[in-house]
Amino acid sequence: MAVTCLVVMGVSGSGKSTVAQQLGDALHWPVAEADEFHPAANIEKMSAGVPLTDADRAPWLAALRDWITERADAGDNTVVACSALKRAYRDTLRQARARVRFVHLTGSPALITERLAIRSGHFMPPSLLDSQLGDLEPLHDDEDGITVDLAPPPEQIVSSVLDRLGLHSASGDA
C-alpha cells in the first residue's frame, strides 16, 4: 500500500497546525510543522512584515519534500502543516515519494483576521494576510485533495477530513 502524506494547507491563521496535529494524533502519524523548515532569512523577512518570494520559498519547499520522502522511504505515513499557497508549491511537495493529499482549510478573511489578532508567539504578522490571500491558488480539480471550511471546531474538521478522505482513526491505513 502506498505511503500517504496529508498536507494541511491554507493561509496563516486558518488552523493548519491545530488540525494537522489532531489528524496526526487520530491517525498515529508523525506531524511536521512547515514553519520549522524555514531558513532564518525567511523568518527574519516575515517577522519584518516582508512577504516571501517564490525564490525564498524554493529551498523551504524542497526541505519539506525531502522530509516527506525520507519518512515515506521508512514506510511512515505523515501529516504536514504547510501553507502550500500556490499550485507550483504543491507540485514541489508532490515530488515526494508518497501519495501527497491536500486538505485546504478555507474561510472568510474576517474570521481569519480575528484569529490572527488573538494569536501570539508567531513570527508571521497579521499584516501579511493580504499578501497570502493574494498568492492563494485554491486546489484544482486534478489535485488530490479536499477543501474544508475552517469555521467549525477543530475536532469537527478532523472528523470530516477523516470521513471524506476515507481514513480511519488510529489505523494508520490510507
Side-chain angles (χ1 to χ4, degrees), residues 29-53:
W29 293 3
V31 177
E33 172 55 62
D35 287 344
E36 296 174 8
F37 290 75
H38 273 297
N42 284 7
I43 293 172
E44 289 172 21
K45 279 182 90 168
M46 288 184 285
S47 296
V50 178
L52 297 179
T53 66

Side-chain angles (χ1 to χ4, degrees), residues 2-165:
V3 175
T4 297
C5 175
L6 295 181
V7 176
V8 181
M9 62 169 281
V11 298
S12 185
S14 62
K16 297 180 299 291
S17 298
T18 300
V19 170
Q21 188 59 58
Q22 288 190 18
L23 282 167
D25 291 347
L27 295 164
H28 295 144
W29 293 3
V31 177
E33 172 55 62
D35 287 344
E36 296 174 8
F37 290 75
H38 273 297
N42 284 7
I43 293 172
E44 289 172 21
K45 279 182 90 168
M46 288 184 285
S47 296
V50 178
L52 297 179
T53 66
D54 289 352
D56 294 328
R57 288 186 177 103
W60 167 66
L61 291 163
L64 278 170
R65 176 203 60 216
D66 294 347
W67 182 86
I68 296 166
T69 292
E70 288 169 11
R71 298 308 299 248
D73 288 350
D76 296 333
N77 295 306
T78 55
V79 180
V80 173
C82 176
S83 55
L85 297 175
K86 294 182 180 181
R87 176 159 187 154
Y89 306 164
R90 297 189 296 271
D91 289 345
T92 297
L93 297 175
R94 269 194 295 275
Q95 293 169 359
R97 287 190 297 270
R99 178 181 182 192
V100 179
R101 304 180 80 186
F102 296 94
V103 176
H104 179 193
L105 299 177
T106 188
S108 76
L111 176 56
I112 296 167
T113 299
E114 286 176 27
R115 289 181 174 187
L116 287 173
I118 60 172
R119 182 167 80 169
S120 64
H122 195 276
F123 58 80
M124 179 76 164
S127 61
L128 290 180
L129 177 59
D130 286 341
S131 73
Q132 286 203 333
L133 289 169
D135 282 347
L136 178 63
E137 296 173 5
L139 290 174
H140 295 91
D141 290 342
D142 64 337
E143 292 185 277
D144 188 356
I146 58 173
T147 300
V148 181
D149 182 6
L150 60 78
E155 298 77 14
Q156 187 176 334
I157 293 170
V158 168
S159 178
S160 173
V161 167
L162 293 173
D163 182 55
R164 290 176 62 194
L165 293 179

